[in-house]
Amino acid sequence: MDLLLDVNVVLDICAKRQPFYKAARDAIQLCTFHGGKLWLYVGSVQTLEYNLYKELKQRHEIQGVGLTNRDLYAKCLALLEAFAKDKHWLAALAMEGNVFSAGDPEDAQLVLALKRFGESKIKLLTRDEPLLKAHPDKTISPQEYIRQNIPGSDRFIDFIDLKTQQNNIRPQLEKNIHRVLHHGQYIMGPEVNQLEEKLATYTGSKHCITVASGTEALLISLMALGIKPGDEVITTPFTFIATAEVIVLLGAKPVFVDIEPDTCNIDASKIEAAITQKTKAIMPVSLYGQPADMDEINDIAKKHNLPVIEDAAQSFGATYKGRKSCNLSTIGCTSFFPSKPLGCYGDGGAIFTNDENIAQACREIRVHGQSKRYMHTRIGLGGRMDTLQCAIVLAKLERFDWEVEQRLAVGRRYNQLLDEAGISRVQQRPDRTSVFAQYTVFTPKREVLQAHLNQTGIPTAVHYPVPLNEQPAYKHLCCSDCTPVAQDIAGQVMSLPMGPDLNESSQNAIVETCLAEL
Ligand SMILES: Cc1ncc(COP(=O)(O)O)c(C=O)c1O
């Protein structure tokens, strides 16, 4: 649970007001200990500054220490600045402006601000008695907070920690979101182009076309390549359903080629045998964030004059022989689903290519096949990424290089810990990097291990329990039993908590807990 700090509590701490100082300080330390965030309301800045100065001045007059008013004021600001350093600023919204009919406008503002959060997500830490009485469900005193939150052994590790990331980029996120609210160009606003330029530069691709999701990126790419009913597209059965779904949606047939047992990526050595007269594209997936054998796949494709679409939904930021994922073949498609290595706060995706014609086709298809306003020269769809989501990705990009570095470090650390513990895991090839969208281990005791980890507050997931050619809706479209490695691996994979902000002690706890059950 987070705490919004009322002015009286902040003053208790900054001015070390007795007898309130210790309880206020202990309560906020406990909140941080339990993973909660401490918020300061932007609308309280003047009250804080005014009252702290008044308090210091009064004390100064009593004690008679030789400071000028100017020095005292500087001291007051320095105290507030130091206190606010590791707190989060809660923006004052327009709806919290006209509170003058309330008995205490400032309290009314805080209560309104609390309503933005879900039930039990936040409380106002205050020792204002009338406020505590009027809103017992939304407020708590420092003493009561301490009583309810004595440190225990409860631990909680996020499967993917998006909260810490948001804490670190919140001012930039708010700035970007507000800019969109003010200019009002919600569809194809300036942030769309800005993001496309930045992403193209990042990957080294000539063109980047943002779209409504990773699924839409794959669909639009296949449409741009002219995939039609009766065509075949070679892909992996060990991936998220969207990879095959888009092929089937266009009336084409997914042809599943088995995977490598150690990387779980498509086995390039088995692709050529699957090519027929009807094959129109090859679609490898950079699973768990690691590119497949793209050189080998591109060579086969070249020999048979086929385009290659990299499903890079999980691998934005990864590299292959020094080149960036998304720019490794004819087309690269990524997803900005919130939990992806570069995520937005909704749905989003992007297509990358160096081919001018394909780029033009994708741009037109994402706006209903329109070459100019109300001139529909091809069949398209409504597949744009909205401006707000682009603004969010722009904010996240500022921290992205650091996050990729962290992902590599966390991945290396897992590798080392698990190898030492003798726990089998997905392997990475030395000529490429993985951004570890998932960190995945192999275990024949998956159910037992998952239950044990869950009990100790460690969440896990399975990517993926059933190969696509065994899925009820797909079984009849393709061969089943023809990808034995995928079938075997699907029974063994289990993904562990992963992310750039996963700390060493959590990683140690995760591996130790695994080891205890294996
Ligand atoms: C490999 C793969 N392809 C495609 C997608 C689809 O992306 P989106 O959820 O953005 O539509 C995902 C998302 O989970 C994915 O993991």
Coordinates of all heavy atoms in Angstrom, one line a residue, residues 212-218 239-243 285-287 311-314 333-337 339-340 346-349 438 464, ligand 1:
A212 N -1.2 -0.7 -34.3 CA -2.0 -0.9 -33.1 C -1.6 -2.0 -32.1 O -1.9 -1.9 -31.0 CB -3.5 -1.1 -33.5
S213 N -0.8 -2.9 -32.6 CA -0.3 -4.0 -31.7 C 0.7 -4.9 -32.4 O 0.9 -4.7 -33.6 CB -1.5 -4.9 -31.3 OG -2.0 -5.6 -32.4
G214 N 1.3 -5.8 -31.7 CA 2.2 -6.7 -32.4 C 1.5 -7.6 -33.3 O 2.0 -7.9 -34.4
T215 N 0.3 -8.0 -33.0 CA -0.5 -8.9 -33.9 C -0.8 -8.1 -35.2 O -0.6 -8.7 -36.3 CB -1.8 -9.2 -33.2 OG1 -1.5 -9.7 -31.9 CG2 -2.6 -10.2 -34.0
E216 N -1.2 -6.9 -35.0 CA -1.5 -6.0 -36.2 C -0.2 -5.8 -37.1 O -0.3 -5.8 -38.3 CB -1.9 -4.7 -35.7 CG -3.0 -4.1 -36.5 CD -4.4 -4.7 -36.2 OE1 -4.5 -5.5 -35.3 OE2 -5.3 -4.3 -36.9
A217 N 1.0 -5.7 -36.4 CA 2.2 -5.6 -37.2 C 2.4 -6.8 -38.1 O 2.8 -6.7 -39.3 CB 3.4 -5.4 -36.2
L218 N 2.2 -8.0 -37.5 CA 2.4 -9.2 -38.3 C 1.3 -9.3 -39.4 O 1.7 -9.6 -40.6 CB 2.2 -10.5 -37.4 CG 3.3 -10.6 -36.3 CD1 2.9 -11.7 -35.3 CD2 4.7 -10.9 -36.9
T239 N 5.4 -20.6 -29.8 CA 5.3 -19.2 -29.8 C 4.0 -18.8 -29.3 O 3.1 -19.6 -29.1 CB 5.6 -18.6 -31.2 OG1 5.3 -17.2 -31.2 CG2 4.7 -19.2 -32.3
F240 N 3.7 -17.5 -29.2 CA 2.4 -17.0 -28.8 C 1.5 -17.2 -30.0 O 2.0 -17.0 -31.2 CB 2.5 -15.5 -28.4 CG 1.2 -14.9 -28.0 CD1 0.5 -15.4 -26.9 CD2 0.7 -13.8 -28.7 CE1 -0.7 -14.8 -26.6 CE2 -0.5 -13.3 -28.4 CZ -1.2 -13.8 -27.3
I241 N 0.2 -17.4 -29.8 CA -0.7 -17.7 -30.8 C -0.8 -16.7 -32.0 O -1.0 -17.1 -33.1 CB -2.1 -17.9 -30.2 CG1 -3.1 -18.6 -31.2 CG2 -2.7 -16.6 -29.7 CD1 -2.8 -20.1 -31.4
A242 N -0.5 -15.4 -31.7 CA -0.6 -14.4 -32.7 C 0.2 -14.7 -34.0 O -0.2 -14.4 -35.1 CB -0.2 -13.0 -32.2
T243 N 1.3 -15.4 -33.8 CA 2.2 -15.6 -34.9 C 1.5 -16.4 -36.0 O 1.6 -16.1 -37.2 CB 3.5 -16.4 -34.4 OG1 4.0 -15.8 -33.2 CG2 4.6 -16.4 -35.5
V285 N 10.5 -16.6 -35.1 CA 10.2 -15.8 -33.9 C 11.4 -15.7 -33.0 O 12.1 -16.7 -32.8 CB 9.1 -16.5 -33.1 CG1 8.8 -15.7 -31.8 CG2 7.8 -16.6 -33.9
S286 N 11.8 -14.5 -32.6 CA 12.9 -14.3 -31.7 C 12.4 -14.6 -30.2 O 12.2 -13.6 -29.5 CB 13.5 -13.0 -31.8 OG 14.0 -12.8 -33.1
L287 N 12.3 -15.9 -29.9 CA 11.6 -16.3 -28.7 C 12.4 -15.9 -27.4 O 13.6 -16.0 -27.4 CB 11.3 -17.8 -28.7 CG 10.3 -18.2 -27.7 CD1 8.9 -17.9 -28.3 CD2 10.4 -19.7 -27.4
D311 N 9.4 -12.2 -36.3 CA 8.4 -11.9 -35.2 C 9.3 -11.5 -34.0 O 9.7 -12.4 -33.3 CB 7.5 -13.0 -34.9 CG 6.5 -12.6 -33.8 OD1 6.7 -11.7 -33.1 OD2 5.4 -13.4 -33.6
A312 N 9.5 -10.2 -33.9 CA 10.4 -9.7 -32.8 C 9.6 -9.1 -31.7 O 10.1 -8.2 -31.0 CB 11.4 -8.7 -33.4
A313 N 8.4 -9.6 -31.5 CA 7.5 -9.1 -30.4 C 8.2 -9.1 -29.0 O 8.0 -8.3 -28.2 CB 6.2 -9.9 -30.3
Q314 N 9.1 -10.1 -28.8 CA 9.8 -10.3 -27.5 C 11.2 -9.8 -27.5 O 11.9 -9.9 -26.5 CB 9.7 -11.8 -27.1 CG 8.3 -12.3 -27.1 CD 8.2 -13.8 -26.7 OE1 9.2 -14.4 -26.3 NE2 7.0 -14.4 -26.8
C333 N 8.9 -7.3 -36.9 CA 7.6 -6.8 -36.3 C 7.8 -6.9 -34.8 O 8.2 -7.9 -34.3 CB 6.5 -7.7 -36.6 SG 6.0 -7.6 -38.4
T334 N 7.5 -5.8 -34.1 CA 7.6 -5.9 -32.6 C 6.2 -5.5 -32.0 O 5.3 -5.0 -32.6 CB 8.7 -5.1 -32.1 OG1 9.0 -5.6 -30.7 CG2 8.5 -3.6 -32.0
S335 N 6.2 -5.7 -30.6 CA 5.0 -5.4 -29.9 C 5.4 -4.5 -28.7 O 6.4 -4.7 -28.1 CB 4.4 -6.7 -29.3 OG 3.6 -6.5 -28.2
F336 N 4.5 -3.6 -28.4 CA 4.7 -2.7 -27.2 C 3.7 -3.1 -26.1 O 3.3 -2.2 -25.3 CB 4.6 -1.2 -27.6 CG 5.6 -0.8 -28.6 CD1 5.1 -0.2 -29.8 CD2 6.9 -1.1 -28.5 CE1 6.0 0.2 -30.8 CE2 7.8 -0.7 -29.5 CZ 7.4 -0.1 -30.6
F337 N 3.2 -4.3 -26.1 CA 2.3 -4.8 -25.0 C 3.1 -4.5 -23.7 O 4.3 -4.6 -23.6 CB 2.2 -6.3 -25.2 CG 1.2 -6.9 -24.3 CD1 -0.2 -6.9 -24.5 CD2 1.6 -7.6 -23.1 CE1 -1.1 -7.5 -23.6 CE2 0.7 -8.1 -22.2 CZ -0.6 -8.1 -22.5
S339 N 4.0 -5.7 -21.0 CA 5.1 -6.5 -20.3 C 6.2 -6.8 -21.3 O 7.2 -7.4 -20.9 CB 4.5 -7.8 -19.9 OG 3.9 -8.5 -21.0
K340 N 6.2 -6.3 -22.5 CA 7.3 -6.5 -23.4 C 8.5 -5.7 -23.0 O 8.4 -4.7 -22.3 CB 6.9 -6.2 -24.8 CG 5.8 -7.1 -25.4 CD 6.3 -8.5 -25.6 CE 5.3 -9.3 -26.4 NZ 4.6 -10.3 -25.5
G346 N -0.9 0.1 -23.0 CA -2.0 -0.4 -23.7 C -1.5 -1.3 -24.8 O -0.6 -2.1 -24.6
D347 N -2.1 -1.2 -26.0 CA -1.6 -2.0 -27.1 C -0.8 -1.1 -28.0 O -1.2 0.1 -28.2 CB -2.8 -2.6 -27.9 CG -3.2 -3.9 -27.2 OD1 -2.3 -4.8 -27.0 OD2 -4.4 -4.1 -27.0
G348 N 0.2 -1.7 -28.6 CA 1.0 -0.9 -29.6 C 2.0 -1.9 -30.3 O 2.2 -3.0 -29.8
G349 N 2.5 -1.5 -31.4 CA 3.5 -2.3 -32.1 C 4.1 -1.5 -33.2 O 3.8 -0.4 -33.4
Q438 N 11.4 -13.1 -21.4 CA 11.1 -14.2 -20.4 C 12.5 -14.8 -20.1 O 13.3 -15.0 -20.9 CB 10.2 -15.3 -21.0 CG 9.0 -14.8 -21.7 CD 8.1 -14.0 -20.8 OE1 8.1 -14.1 -19.6 NE2 7.1 -13.3 -21.4
Y464 N 5.4 -21.8 -23.6 CA 4.0 -22.0 -23.7 C 3.6 -23.4 -23.5 O 4.4 -24.3 -23.8 CB 3.6 -21.6 -25.2 CG 3.9 -20.1 -25.4 CD1 5.2 -19.8 -25.9 CD2 3.0 -19.1 -25.1 CE1 5.5 -18.4 -26.1 CE2 3.4 -17.8 -25.3 CZ 4.6 -17.5 -25.7 OH 4.9 -16.1 -25.9
Ligands
LIG1 C1 5.9 -13.9 -30.2 C2 4.8 -13.0 -30.2 N1 4.2 -12.6 -31.3 C3 3.2 -11.7 -31.4 C4 2.6 -11.2 -30.2 C5 1.5 -10.3 -30.3 O1 1.7 -9.0 -29.8 P1 0.5 -8.1 -29.3 O2 0.1 -8.7 -28.0 O3 1.1 -6.7 -29.1 O4 -0.6 -8.1 -30.3 C6 3.2 -11.5 -29.0 C7 2.7 -10.9 -27.7 O5 2.6 -11.6 -26.7 C8 4.3 -12.4 -29.0 O6 4.9 -12.8 -27.8

